[in-house]
Amino acid sequence: DLMASGAMREAVNLGRLVPKDLSIVGFDDIKMSELLIPALTTIRNDTRALGQLALDTLVSMIESGEAETKPAPLRVELVVREST
């Protein structure tokens, strides 16, 4: 989201209108995203689930002695706001 907000600012500096000329989407859904003008469309991820997955993966790696991990999808949510 921080990078996306910087991209929105630069778009304005270049005379572009968001979202008329350019759609911008961030990732993380930080609080600031909804306060930007226009409010930033973003991807919200479940940080608690991500932390739990990281812990479970680490424990599994320690117990098994294996360094390989399997891909583990996490649910994310598109939060549509004004930047798209």
Side-chain angles (χ1 to χ4, degrees):
D1 284 359
L2 290 175
M3 292 179 70
S5 66
M8 284 181 24
R9 181 177 179 160
E10 187 59 24
V12 169
N13 289 341
L14 294 171
R16 302 291 186 252
L17 298 175
V18 176
K20 184 179 178 187
D21 299 326
L22 177 69
S23 290
I24 297 180
V25 178
F27 187 90
D28 280 336
D29 194 27
I30 60 176
K31 199 66 174 165
M32 177 190 74
S33 300
E34 61 188 283
L35 303 175
L36 295 171
I37 300 173
L40 180 65
T41 295
T42 188
I43 302 291
R44 179 184 298 151
N45 61 0
D46 185 345
T47 54
R48 182 175 290 265
L50 179 60
Q52 186 64 53
L53 176 62
L55 176 63
D56 293 345
T57 301
L58 180 60
V59 169
S60 175
M61 290 171 69
I62 291 169
E63 289 176 348
S64 70
E66 301 216 6
E68 295 290 320
T69 61
K70 296 178 183 173
L74 289 174
R75 290 187 171 269
V76 296
E77 176 186 355
L78 176 64
V79 181
V80 178
R81 295 195 179 111
E82 300 165 342
S83 68
T84 55

